Amino acid sequence: MAILAPSRRLRRTPFSEGVEAAGVKAYTVYNHMLLPTVFRSVEEDYHHLKSAVQVWDVAVERQVELRGPDAGRLMQMLTPRDLRRMLPGQCYYVPIVDETGGMLNDPVAVKLSEDRWWISIADSDLLFWVKGLALGYRLDVLVDEPDVSPLAVQGPKADELMARVFGDRVRDVRFFKFDHFDFQGRDLVIARSGYSKQGGFEIYVEGEDLGMPLWNALFEAGKDLDVHAGCPNLIERIEGGLLSFGNDMTDDNTPHECGLGKFCNTHTAIGCVGRDALLRVAKEGPVQQIRALSIEGPAVPGCDRWWPLWSGKKRVGRVSSAAWSPDFKTNVAVGMVRLSHWDDGDEVTVETPDGMRKAVVHEKFWI
Ligand code: THG
């Protein structure tokens, strides 16, 4: 692949200086912004993530802020997950659907107060949809993208590193909850969350001027913990079954097809614009669903398009993400598999750029 040409449309982040100094080797583009994908190598980064602690520039997880008396109402219009019992201080993973029940995004919703929310988005321009709904329904709410950039601290030593910078109280933050912490006289929201299964935190850094001071403080405090710059790791996130919007699912898929039915309460999510459509499809049930697959043979090449899944001459799905797993000693993959072949142990054939490979469908991911 050729080099990515820098320009102002391809936004840098408050941490870009630190990312470059740490020797970033590759980027992808996510929400029109740079997202690192490799520091040492995908495999070295993977082993280090599972054994130490990493600091991730995930400023690409942009916030759509809802502010005003109708913020809660607008939030419920966006998602089939019932938000009535959600309290300030909580984060929810929420499928966002359009009027056909198609997935528009799969963000983390952060409830700051009754009338102030952040929607921490995956890679799609959700802001336009949310602004359109607010305007079309004449809601009393402001919708915009604030100067907030998440910085993730992930890995088994994340608690130790965070406690050194923010104090022991940070250890008490529970999964998908957040609290407020002081850094250099400024208030920061810190949640126990992040796009890995290794545990850790996400710091919502308000104000780009705070980016490098915080980055430097974490690296200074973590010298003896082998802290390193990292990024969402392809292998680890496939092992963990963490989905990637735009890769593993699109607006052609319902949350149920994505295995996100557990985050839908379609009967009680009154006001969700996709509710009627989802009630209709939920009655029949999905005919395809996201599954883990192990692909036989040596390491597969990078998956930059959907690889067809076959059973004889019948197309039975697609693989959307795949990588060699050093820990499980097989190629791990995510795919959308048709009902006829989605049971645990079902055998299929994957059409990779390297040729046909046997693969086995699994009901559960690896971690
Ligand atoms: N954190 C924040 N924003 C994000 C992401 C994040 N925006 C982009 C992207 N990641 C959105 N997608 C996901 C996908 C999975 C999870 C979070 C965001 C996730 N899932 C857990 C799981 O599936 O095990 C837990 C879900 C739950 O139990 O509620 O964490 O990572 N701020």
Side-chain angles (χ1 to χ4, degrees):
M1 264 254 267
I3 296 295
L4 203 53
S7 81
R8 97 142 288 256
R9 281 186 304 97
L10 224 176
R11 297 179 287 175
R12 292 166 59 81
T13 85
F15 318 109
S16 287
E17 197 187 312
V19 161
E20 287 160 4
V24 62
K25 289 214 177 85
Y27 288 109
T28 186
V29 176
Y30 193 105
N31 286 327
H32 314 277
M33 219 166 184
L34 290 169
L35 173 63
T37 57
V38 184
F39 281 88
R40 292 183 279 213
S41 72
V42 176
E43 285 206 11
E44 272 183 86
D45 293 352
Y46 161 88
H47 291 300
H48 180 265
L49 168 63
K50 285 183 159 191
S51 59
V53 56
Q54 298 184 344
V55 177
W56 295 2
D57 173 0
V58 282
V60 299
E61 296 169 356
R62 301 316 290 167
Q63 311 305 305
V64 174
E65 179 167 303
L66 315 182
R67 196 173 193 146
D70 285 336
R73 182 177 163 211
L74 177 55
M75 192 65 230
Q76 188 66 82
M77 289 173 76
L78 297 169
T79 181
R81 186 161 178 185
D82 188 337
L83 303 175
R84 285 176 302 174
R85 300 170 71 102
M86 186 176 180
L87 302 168
Q90 290 187 315
C91 307
Y92 272 14
Y93 182 39
V94 288
I96 304 287
V97 298
D98 66 14
E99 77 288 359
T100 72
M103 292 278 299
L104 293 181
N105 205 293
D106 69 329
V108 176
V110 181
K111 184 170 182 177
L112 297 161
S113 63
E114 287 306 329
D115 58 3
R116 189 167 173 232
W117 299 66
W118 282 337
I119 311 173
S120 186
I121 62 171
D123 186 23
S124 77
D125 292 315
L126 194 68
L127 183 66
F128 301 149
W129 170 255
V130 180
K131 273 184 177 282
L133 283 177
L135 196 63
Y137 282 86
R138 300 175 188 278
L139 300 182
D140 189 359
V141 61
L142 291 167
V143 180
D144 65 11
E145 182 185 304
D147 179 13
V148 171
S149 295
L151 186 66
V153 177
Q154 300 284 299
K157 297 181 184 166
D159 277 66
E160 179 58 29
L161 176 56
M162 289 292 284
R164 291 182 189 183
V165 176
F166 296 102
D168 274 325
R169 189 169 61 89
V170 81
R171 299 180 191 272
D172 301 335
V173 178
R174 300 188 32 189
F175 187 63
F176 267 58
K177 301 260 188 346
F178 70 82
D179 208 337
H180 295 265
F181 292 84
D182 176 89
F183 181 75
Q184 296 186 349
R186 301 260 288 273
D187 180 71
L188 294 177
V189 166
I190 300 183
R192 192 182 286 277
S193 57
Y195 198 65
S196 90
K197 289 283 195 180
Q198 305 309 310
F201 299 86
E202 290 181 303
I203 310 165
Y204 291 82
V205 182
E206 254 185 290
E208 61 179 344
D209 60 303
L210 217 53
M212 282 317 296
L214 177 59
W215 177 278
N216 290 330
L218 286 163
F219 281 86
E220 195 57 45
K223 273 186 182 147
D224 61 312
L225 299 175
D226 189 28
V227 62
H228 202 277
C231 50
N233 183 272
L234 177 69
I235 312 168
E236 198 270 350
R237 76 102 180 149
I238 296 174
E239 290 177 352
L242 296 173
L243 303 181
S244 169
F245 186 81
N247 287 321
D248 303 323
M249 71 284 206
T250 71
D251 62 359
D252 282 336
N253 302 118
T254 64
H256 304 280
E257 290 177 341
C258 302
L260 301 180
K262 58 179 178 286
F263 300 112
C264 298
N265 320 91
T266 312
H267 285 280
T268 57
I270 311 290
C272 169
V273 298
R275 184 165 172 262
D276 290 349
L278 286 177
L279 283 170
R280 251 178 279 123
V281 300
K283 208 155 35 184
E284 275 145 44
V287 296
Q288 56 177 1
Q289 209 164 53
I290 295 265
R291 281 289 180 274
L293 296 111
S294 49
I295 304 175
E296 287 182 6
V300 288
C303 187
D304 62 356
R305 64 199 65 193
W306 288 333
W307 296 343
L309 278 178
W310 300 97
S311 173
K313 288 196 171 123
K314 219 175 105 199
R315 234 204 102 150
V316 295
R318 67 180 191 228
V319 160
S320 46
S321 303
W324 174 260
S325 162
D327 284 352
F328 296 98
K329 302 202 174 1
T330 182
N331 292 295
V332 293
V334 180
M336 188 67 77
V337 184
R338 298 197 68 79
L339 179 150
S340 56
H341 290 77
W342 75 21
D343 288 337
D344 199 58
D346 280 351
E347 293 177 13
V348 291
T349 306
V350 192
E351 184 181 340
T352 78
D354 276 8
M356 295 294 193
R357 298 273 191 105
K358 283 188 187 166
V360 179
V361 175
H362 306 286
E363 289 229 350
K364 287 206 154 59
F365 283 86
W366 290 263
I367 50 179

